[in-house]
Amino acid sequence: QLQASGGGLVQPGGSLRLSCAASGSTFSNYVVGWFRQAPGKEREFVAVIKWSGDSFYYADGVKGRFTISRDNAEKTAYLQMNSLKPEDTAVYYCAARNTHFIGPLYGTDTYYDYWGQGTQVTVSS
């Protein structure tokens, strides 16, 4: 089970850190991804991280601004979001797949086995 948190209202240029807390004893076996869904739009891939934390991928629109990380001892993954823009406004979801390695379909939501509830991020002045 995954629990996303950390969303809120922030001004353009601000920062937020999202957390994805997992229950269960095998969090370190999972690839973890973040997706987002803006009003009226389809859910889209944001970032993904390998179980060991040493391999990750980002959507082009967030490269250089967002950083994905994880702490397997705490069973938590993070999404640090800097230089936020109004177009980053969306409900953010974390997801996980029981695999050690990031497969080629990591950008599709059907790749993931488990999903957390979303957390709302609103970027507005």
Side-chain angles (χ1 to χ4, degrees):
Q1 188 173 3
L2 303 175
Q3 180 82 22
S5 62
L9 173 64
V10 63
Q11 292 187 342
S15 298
L16 280 176
R17 188 176 80 156
L18 306 183
S19 298
C20 177
S23 59
S25 60
T26 58
F27 178 73
S28 60
N29 291 346
Y30 288 75
V31 162
V32 176
W34 285 95
F35 284 72
R36 66 186 181 186
Q37 187 167 20
K41 295 187 177 181
E42 293 187 354
R43 188 159 54 186
E44 65 176 5
F45 167 77
V46 175
V48 63
I49 189 167
K50 182 182 169 184
W51 72 276
S52 55
D54 60 354
S55 181
F56 32 79
Y57 299 99
Y58 297 94
D60 287 344
V62 306
K63 284 180 182 177
R65 300 189 298 121
F66 290 12
T67 302
I68 190 170
S69 62
R70 66 190 295 164
D71 184 335
N72 288 337
E74 295 295 325
K75 300 180 184 178
T76 303
Y78 303 97
L79 187 68
Q80 177 67 43
M81 306 186 296
N82 298 330
S83 302
L84 282 162
K85 305 175 181 180
E87 50 264 44
D88 294 318
T89 295
V91 178
Y92 283 71
Y93 299 89
C94 60
R97 179 182 172 96
N98 187 359
T99 179
H100 275 192
F101 301 100
I102 301 174
L105 300 179
Y106 65 83
T108 61
D109 53 11
T110 55
Y111 177 76
Y112 298 87
D113 302 315
Y114 305 98
W115 288 84
Q117 92 297 351
T119 185
Q120 175 70 47
V121 172
T122 302
V123 185
S124 175
S125 55

